[in-house]
Amino acid sequence: ASLPLLAEIPYGLGGWYVNQLWVGLPWLAAIVLTVTGLITVSAVSMLRQVATSPLGVAQQADPRRTRIIRLVLFVAVLLHLWSSTGGGQLSTRQVLGLLLLFYGAFWLFGPWVVDRLGRLVGRFARGPATLLAGRRLSDDPRGAWRTVSGLVLAGFAAGFFAVSMIGMDGSAHRNQVAVAGAHASEVRALLRDAGVTATVDTVGEDDWDGLLNGTPGVIAHISGGGRARLDTAVTALTPANPARPPFTQDYATAGDRTAIGRFAEVSTATLALSFLVATTSAGLTAAAGVLDRRRIYGRLRLAGTPLKVLDRARVRETVIPMVALAGGTTAIGVYVSYRLNKAVGASINAAGALELAACVAVGALAMFAAIGGSRPLLRRVTEDAARSAD
């Protein structure tokens, strides 16, 4: 139903046709059946705990812990991906296989991180709400990971492309004008007649680092004057080769600017959709958690725990992994992009950074609102604490 709207999203120099976005009935049916099968297997595996250990389920005791083998497997997968992409051209199937392997390893690794994070939070907690949140994260790391997993996977890409300006601002060959197939003497004469001061270099077929990219010609290094002086030089050098007009770095990197800009938009949109899914998941999980733990909440109220402490613990149970994991991967993406931009002499996309910050702020507020929506339910199930505990 949303394909006509999605087709209006521009990419490159044009948009999409609806049939380019439609995967077809066989693929759609296969995806629906696969997701349904995965959900069924997950539900049955959880229900088997009731059959194998009814007493442990009744007591809400789960002796299983996330083991260090998850970290070992994750590192092994990363090393395999590193060696697989080190050389040679990969086919589409190989790329998809490596991506699925990476996401599978990340999904396996996530609960282990949440478990360790919950233990650290519980050990260094200075308040009862934080202590309760840490214990809950350690007791159910898989549930907490499911809520924020989409944000963790989308945060890095969004953080990287949102601030990236690699190949976009022309800093690598700033104040240069390239003329293919021209002679240095003619270029010097044209620039002198136009009153433009410049240093002229002749490049050959072996020079792949300049604007001409292996094409014989001339590079003029314009001295001072900024954009106006560059425009004057381009106009003056047009007669040097009418068949191939002179150009600057802005012209040479136009395709890169378009691609990086679109990648930034798509990454930010993916992060926004991930926040939408995470918000829905957080709201449903918070409401279900209140009902599932109403006996525990009733006992805590009978023990004198204030309602606001229980509510803060619920919120921090989602906020802590969201900030530590999703915020961490987003910050890593921004930092990696910053270092790469600095290495190539490019600047930072300030507008993209502000857009990313706005997306993160709105998404975080939406998640807080979704979790807070079950606050009346918490108050209702703990009104009669004695009956709830029974």
Side-chain angles (χ1 to χ4, degrees), residues 242-261:
R244 300 186 63 178
F247 59 89
T248 62
Q249 178 75 359
D250 289 340
Y251 178 86
T253 59
D256 293 338
R257 291 199 305 272
T258 301
I260 293 295

Side-chain angles (χ1 to χ4, degrees), residues 21 38 51 88 124 142 175 179 214 222 269 276 285 316 322 352 375:
L21 302 177
L38 291 174
F124 297 101
R142 299 170 185 83
N175 298 329
V179 188
I222 310 302
L276 179 62
T285 302
R316 294 176 187 180
M322 181 181 70
R375 187 176 294 113

Side-chain angles (χ1 to χ4, degrees), residues 107 143-154 269-286 318 322 359 362-364 366-367 370-371:
W107 193 270
W145 168 250
R146 282 193 295 268
T147 302
V148 301
S149 58
L151 296 175
V152 173
L153 296 174
T270 303
L271 182 62
L273 291 176
S274 300
F275 263 117
L276 179 62
V277 175
T279 299
T280 305
S281 177
L284 293 175
T285 302
T318 302
M322 181 181 70
C359 178
V362 173
M367 291 193 68
I371 299 172

